[in-house]
Amino acid sequence: MTKLYEALKIPRGITSVVGGGGKTRLLDELSLQLPGKVLRLTTTRIHPPQCPCLINPRVSEMRQAFEEERVLCVASYALVRQKRRQRGKLRLRFFI
């Protein structure tokens, strides 16, 4: 079966995902399928990813985390907020 990143012809390197919906789900799937290390960043809010997330890390902390993890998310501590949704669930907002 063809992997998603192969079907989309995503090359090794930096990949940008833009659009009106489905970006987080797409990134979740790509993170699982892409070979090598994956670092997830965002310029807007996202639901908490299904991978470890470092808040405002130093480069040395990211290197150390990559020794144990293949996929990481990085967010800025100064702008992490919690917002109560209509259904009573909490959603973290991650900003870079």
Side-chain angles (χ1 to χ4, degrees):
M1 183 175 189
T2 303
K3 301 226 179 217
L4 183 58
Y5 72 93
E6 293 170 336
L8 295 174
K9 298 181 180 167
I10 297 174
R12 181 182 172 122
I14 297 172
T15 300
S16 176
V17 178
V18 297
K23 294 177 293 295
T24 300
R25 177 74 173 119
L26 176 61
L27 288 173
D28 286 342
E29 284 300 314
L30 289 173
S31 295
L32 293 173
Q33 294 182 14
L34 285 166
K37 303 286 186 181
V38 177
L39 179 62
R40 293 177 57 174
L41 307 168
T42 182
T43 58
T44 187
R45 64 181 181 224
I46 61 171
H47 292 282
Q50 298 176 3
C51 62
C53 188
L54 301 177
I55 309 298
N56 205 24
R58 296 184 175 153
V59 173
S60 61
E61 294 170 319
M62 291 182 355
R63 284 186 180 134
Q64 182 178 358
F66 263 137
E67 289 179 13
E68 300 172 15
E69 302 290 342
R70 195 183 66 76
V71 179
L72 292 175
C73 177
V74 174
S76 173
Y77 179 76
L79 296 172
V80 172
R81 307 185 201 292
Q82 290 185 342
K83 181 181 178 183
R84 188 166 296 281
R85 298 181 71 194
Q86 292 177 343
R87 286 175 247 131
K89 296 180 182 175
L90 292 175
R91 178 176 71 174
L92 290 175
R93 292 180 174 190
F94 293 95
F95 293 82
I96 296 298

